[in-house]
Amino acid sequence: KIQARARGMADRKRVSEIKESKGEGEGDAAAQEGAPAEAADAPAEDLPDLNDPDMENAALKIQARARGMADRKRVSEIKESKGEGEGDAAAQEGAPAEAADAPAEDLPDLNDPDMENAALKIQARAR
């Protein structure tokens, strides 16, 4: 981030110097039209080396962040669409209450001798 900010500051400074050298009397439209032509005339020394491993790593990081943002946005949209499809918040809050009222048949019998033996084996292994 620090390097990006420094490059941005240097570029903005260079642009302001170019605008000043062209003259303050010209409009912004003329300055904007001239900028692409000046960029095309820039020497190759000012351009970054795209085969540099650091540049490749930076490009990968930028791409990964962009993909991450897109994926997070997609997940939030899916969550919103599921929330709208299931009903309002009161219906969603009612679901855990129904699970608490579930019959005890689904839960294991803790007084069963087999369950006690299994618990003892698990505890012995943990020691």
Side-chain angles (χ1 to χ4, degrees):
K1 285 186 171 182
I2 295 171
Q3 291 176 345
R5 288 182 183 172
R7 285 192 299 268
M9 280 182 48
D11 290 341
R12 286 188 293 276
K13 184 177 179 182
R14 192 174 335 148
V15 168
S16 67
E17 289 173 356
I18 291 171
K19 285 182 180 179
E20 288 176 7
S21 68
K22 282 193 162 191
E24 296 175 4
E26 295 183 13
D28 290 337
Q32 288 177 357
E33 289 175 6
E38 291 173 7
D41 295 337
E45 299 169 0
D46 292 344
L47 299 176
D49 180 20
L50 298 179
N51 295 326
D52 183 29
D54 291 335
M55 291 299 290
E56 290 178 10
N57 289 336
L60 288 175
K61 286 182 183 180
I62 292 169
Q63 291 168 356
R65 287 183 182 175
R67 282 191 301 267
M69 281 181 50
D71 290 343
R72 285 188 293 275
K73 183 177 179 182
R74 194 175 317 129
V75 166
S76 67
E77 290 173 356
I78 291 171
K79 285 183 180 180
E80 288 176 6
S81 68
K82 283 185 177 181
E84 293 172 0
E86 292 177 2
D88 59 357
Q92 291 177 357
E93 290 176 1
E98 293 172 4
D101 296 336
E105 301 169 359
D106 297 339
L107 301 174
D109 181 19
L110 298 178
N111 294 327
D112 184 26
D114 291 333
M115 290 298 291
E116 288 180 14
N117 289 336
L120 287 174
K121 286 182 181 179
I122 293 171
Q123 291 171 356
R125 283 190 158 180
R127 292 182 194 147

